[in-house]
Amino acid sequence: QVHLVQSGADVREPGASVQISCRPSGYTFTDSFIQWVRQAPGQGLEWMGWINPDAGGTKYAEKFRGRVTMTRDTSIKTVFLELSGLTSGDTAVYYCARGMPFMAEFDLWGQGTLVTVSS
Amino acid sequence: QSVLTQPPSASATPGQRVTISCSATTFDIGNGWVHWYQHLPGAAPKLLIYRDHNRPSGVPERFSASKSDTSASLTISGLRSEDEAIYYCAVWDDSLFGAVVFGGGTKVTV
């Protein structure tokens, strides 16, 4: 079975950074781009960007440029999302999803990771 | 910023049909593919319709979608209680910086 398994919930203070991991299984790690989408409480879905697990290339949503970094570690077949300069507005469930670049078609989703920003 | 507009809510009784619209305010929705997601409470979003009108394996035939030059729509026929969820349309908007754009979501109540 194919899955995207994400790291567990995290609590961070304002101004800190958070890193979330996403480990694909059941398919070849380098075959598909991984995209990140978040949902703040009571809000809709918001796209953050993508990473190519093969070459490592990234594209970030303009809103997050300068604060977000997406990386991958091919040795452990895992991709990472790091978001810095956290504010309460970054409190959200963060999802990784499998999807090709320049498309909004995400056929496989992780279970979601709740990040709470609070002092 | 590009915006996809959906009605915030829709409701119908079991067995009836509900249709959700998705329209673009700043770009031509007819130029690219529209995808639809079902987001059940406490679960991850699920791809419901891809590339305007296609159902992934396992999605019941009572979910259908269409698109015109100016808007897209999702129809749920034979509504069931388990269809109660938030439904999002999504597109790739290649204007300006390029981004995936989600509609605001429509809460369907059965």
Side-chain angles (χ1 to χ4, degrees), chain A residues 37 39 43-45 47 50 59 62 95 102-107 109-110, chain B residues 33 35 37 39 43-45 47 50-51 88 91-92 97-100 102:
Chain A
V37 175
Q39 183 180 34
Q43 303 298 309
L45 301 176
W47 177 74
W50 72 56
K59 178 173 176 61
E62 195 62 22
Y95 295 99
F102 309 108
M103 296 181 69
E105 180 182 339
F106 307 146
D107 68 341
W109 292 69
Chain B
W33 285 316
H35 314 276
Y37 294 88
H39 198 182
L47 181 64
Y50 66 99
R51 303 186 193 184
Y88 295 92
V91 301
W92 171 260
F97 301 105
V100 171
F102 288 97

Side-chain angles (χ1 to χ4, degrees), chain B residues 37-56:
Chain B
Y37 294 88
Q38 178 190 57
H39 198 182
L40 294 165
K46 170 188 172 183
L47 181 64
L48 194 67
I49 297 286
Y50 66 99
R51 303 186 193 184
D52 296 343
H53 58 81
N54 298 283
R55 283 186 306 276

Side-chain angles (χ1 to χ4, degrees), chain A residues 43-47 103-106, chain B residues 1-9 20-37 49 52 66-73 86-95 99-106:
Chain A
Q43 303 298 309
L45 301 176
E46 182 175 35
W47 177 74
M103 296 181 69
E105 180 182 339
F106 307 146
Chain B
Q1 183 178 350
S2 303
V3 175
L4 286 176
T5 300
Q6 298 181 234
S9 63
I20 302 165
S21 62
C22 172
S23 60
T25 59
T26 60
F27 62 95
D28 185 359
I29 202 170
N31 276 346
W33 285 316
V34 178
H35 314 276
W36 290 90
Y37 294 88
I49 297 286
D52 296 343
S66 62
K67 191 183 77 173
S68 69
D69 287 343
T70 57
S71 68
S73 63
I86 300 177
Y87 294 84
Y88 295 92
C89 57
V91 301
W92 171 260
D93 176 19
D94 59 5
S95 62
V100 171
V101 177
F102 288 97
T106 299

Side-chain angles (χ1 to χ4, degrees), chain A residues 7-20:
Chain A
S7 49
D10 207 343
V11 179
R12 295 286 167 168
E13 293 187 345
S17 299
V18 68
Q19 185 181 70
I20 304 166

